[in-house]
């Protein structure tokens, strides 16, 4: 891809990320600024309820940056806090969309990859509804996307680093070892004829799992336990409430829109890596269905790279205009 084309893509994605950041800050996080700052402080001091108390990465980094701005006399704490978080939200959204583009480009041409990225960007406002302070979700989406990209390039060290960071961010970092395993193995061959390479990859997977578990357990020990925000019984009541049962399916449909159909059709057309990585979808959804609030579809954002790529596999084969290997645009087949 030419440097000018890549720069154009980056500028386009940055522009979209800026609009998404503005909407996210003004419609959600900053509309409940006092509550958001209070929860942020609780996490910093280890006083928040579970699971928020253990999602320390973003609050610690933003708190450090905000205090630095205050120490330099640039602005007061409240202004420094909002500026820091707005900067973080933009950075996280930009990195997610940019990494998504790079991931999609491993299989699809730049034009189709950009279309898929912008399609995902258009869906994000629905994914980012129904909460006021969940800063780790945006970083989580980027880290999973980066893990998919590193796994398709077989970069084990990169995946290990991502696993550590993701586990400091949210407990869902425990799924990233599966991203590596499903990408590294040829599952059919491994089942039929396991060899030393299969054993080596499984050992690497176990090492990643132990790393993630160690970080998660360590954070829980360090932060202590102050009670839970919602018990499983509370979650079930919220999810089965009449309004919840009406909103959750709507948000789930809008999370990917018509892409649900395209992704299902694209599965058979996808390559081995993507089909195997798709195994993480049910694995990931099970705990979300048990412990998550169903209408909060932002919990599914880590699955966007796979779902969007599956959509593009179908579009690429069915539409020569978008699926051609060169970068010229044909108006007719």
């Amino acid at each position: 891809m030419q440097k000018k084309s890549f720069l154009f893509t980056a500028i386009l994605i940055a522009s979209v990320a800026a609009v998404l950041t503005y909407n996210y800050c003004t419609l959600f996080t900053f509309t409940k600024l006092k509550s958001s700052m209070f929860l942020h402080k609780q996490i910093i001091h280890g006083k928040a309820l579970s699971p928020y108390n253990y999602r320390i990465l973003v609050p610690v980094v933003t708190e450090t940056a905000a205090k630095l701005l205050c120490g330099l006399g640039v602005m007061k704490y409240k202004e420094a806090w909002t500026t820091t978080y707005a900067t973080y939200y933009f950075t996280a959204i930009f990195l997610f969309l940019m990494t998504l583009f790079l991931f999609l480009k491993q299989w699809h041409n730049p034009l189709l990859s950009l279309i898929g990225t912008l399609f995902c960007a258009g869906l994000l406002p629905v994914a980012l509804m129904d909460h006021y302070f969940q800063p780790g979700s945006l970083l989580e989406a980027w880290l999973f996307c980066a893990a998919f990209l590193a796994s398709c390039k077989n970069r084990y060290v990169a995946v290990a680093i991502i696993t550590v960071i993701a586990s400091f961010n949210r407990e869902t970092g425990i799924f990233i070892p599966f991203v590596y395993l499903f990408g590294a193995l040829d599952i059919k061959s491994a089942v039929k004829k396991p060899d030393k390479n299969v054993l080596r990859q499984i050992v690497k997977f176990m090492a990643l799992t132990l790393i993630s578990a160690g970080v998660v357990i360590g954070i829980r020990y360090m932060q202590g336990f102050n009670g839970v925000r919602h018990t499983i019984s509370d979650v079930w009541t919220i999810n089965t409430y009449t309004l919840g049962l009406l909103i959750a399916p709507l948000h789930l449909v809008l999370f990917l829109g018509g892409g649900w159909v395209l992704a299902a059709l694209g599965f058979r057309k996808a390559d081995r890596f993507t089909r195997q990585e798709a195994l993480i979808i049910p694995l990931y959804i099970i705990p979300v269905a048990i412990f998550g609030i169903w209408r909060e579809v932002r919990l599914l954002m880590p699955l966007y790279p796979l779902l969007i790529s599956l959509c593009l596999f179908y579009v690429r084969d069915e539409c020569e205009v978008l699926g051609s290997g060169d970068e010229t645009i044909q108006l007719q087949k």
Side-chain angles (χ1 to χ4, degrees), residues 265-279:
L265 294 172
F267 181 81
R268 294 183 63 182
K269 300 176 180 291
D271 70 321
R272 179 180 62 82
F273 175 87
T274 306
R275 290 198 306 270
Q276 288 190 173
E277 287 290 7
L279 293 173

Side-chain angles (χ1 to χ4, degrees), residues 99-100 103 140-151 158-159 162 305:
T99 307
L100 175 61
F103 174 72
E140 176 188 42
W142 172 55
L143 290 169
F144 268 81
C145 194
F148 284 122
L149 180 59
S151 294
V159 175
I162 293 168

Side-chain angles (χ1 to χ4, degrees), residues 63-138:
E63 178 74 5
T64 302
K67 284 187 174 180
L68 179 62
L69 291 175
C70 292
L72 294 174
V74 177
M75 54 187 72
K76 295 182 179 179
Y77 180 78
K78 183 177 180 180
E79 288 74 21
W81 190 91
T82 54
T83 299
T84 300
Y85 265 98
T87 303
Y88 157 71
Y89 289 138
F90 169 77
T91 303
I93 293 173
F94 173 75
L95 287 175
F96 167 60
L97 293 176
M98 200 68 207
T99 307
L100 175 61
F101 171 76
L102 295 174
F103 174 72
L104 296 175
K105 203 163 68 70
Q106 302 303 307
W107 293 274
H108 313 289
N109 67 39
L111 175 61
L112 190 57
S113 299
L114 181 58
I115 291 173
T117 301
L118 295 180
F119 175 54
C120 183
L123 299 168
L124 281 180
V126 171
L128 295 175
M129 293 176 64
D130 286 305
H131 69 282
Y132 68 91
F133 188 72
Q134 292 285 357
S137 291
L138 288 169

Side-chain angles (χ1 to χ4, degrees), residues 207-218:
L208 291 174
T209 303
L210 288 174
I211 289 171
S212 179
V215 172
V216 169
I217 293 171

Side-chain angles (χ1 to χ4, degrees), residues 76-291:
K76 295 182 179 179
Y77 180 78
K78 183 177 180 180
E79 288 74 21
W81 190 91
T82 54
T83 299
T84 300
Y85 265 98
T87 303
Y88 157 71
Y89 289 138
F90 169 77
T91 303
I93 293 173
F94 173 75
L95 287 175
F96 167 60
L97 293 176
M98 200 68 207
T99 307
L100 175 61
F101 171 76
L102 295 174
F103 174 72
L104 296 175
K105 203 163 68 70
Q106 302 303 307
W107 293 274
H108 313 289
N109 67 39
L111 175 61
L112 190 57
S113 299
L114 181 58
I115 291 173
T117 301
L118 295 180
F119 175 54
C120 183
L123 299 168
L124 281 180
V126 171
L128 295 175
M129 293 176 64
D130 286 305
H131 69 282
Y132 68 91
F133 188 72
Q134 292 285 357
S137 291
L138 288 169
L139 185 62
E140 176 188 42
W142 172 55
L143 290 169
F144 268 81
C145 194
F148 284 122
L149 180 59
S151 294
C152 82
K153 293 177 174 289
N154 199 26
R155 304 284 177 80
Y156 179 76
V157 174
V159 175
I161 294 171
I162 293 168
T163 300
V164 173
I165 298 172
S167 300
F168 272 104
N169 182 56
R170 286 173 65 93
E171 56 279 357
T172 48
I174 198 71
F175 287 99
I176 288 182
F178 289 95
V179 172
Y180 175 79
L181 181 66
F182 293 154
L185 285 181
D186 183 337
I187 295 178
K188 286 186 178 180
S189 299
V191 171
K192 290 180 180 178
K193 190 178 180 181
D195 54 20
K196 290 183 179 180
N197 179 62
V198 172
L199 180 60
R200 185 163 51 250
Q201 299 301 346
I202 291 175
V203 169
K204 288 183 176 180
F205 160 75
M206 293 175 65
L208 291 174
T209 303
L210 288 174
I211 289 171
S212 179
V215 172
V216 169
I217 293 171
I219 292 173
R220 277 156 172 70
Y221 177 78
M222 179 183 68
Q223 291 286 91
F225 180 72
N226 305 305
V228 297
R229 177 68 177 86
H230 294 299
T231 65
I232 294 180
S233 177
D234 294 334
V235 170
W236 177 253
T237 300
I238 294 170
N239 286 334
T240 56
Y241 182 63
T242 303
L243 185 60
L245 289 174
L246 291 173
I247 294 176
L250 175 61
H251 285 186
L252 185 61
V253 170
L254 294 176
F255 176 78
L256 196 61
W260 287 116
V261 177
L262 297 179
L265 294 172
F267 181 81
R268 294 183 63 182
K269 300 176 180 291
D271 70 321
R272 179 180 62 82
F273 175 87
T274 306
R275 290 198 306 270
Q276 288 190 173
E277 287 290 7
L279 293 173
I280 203 172
I281 295 176
L283 187 67
Y284 185 87
I285 286 177
I286 290 172
V288 169
I290 296 172
F291 300 106

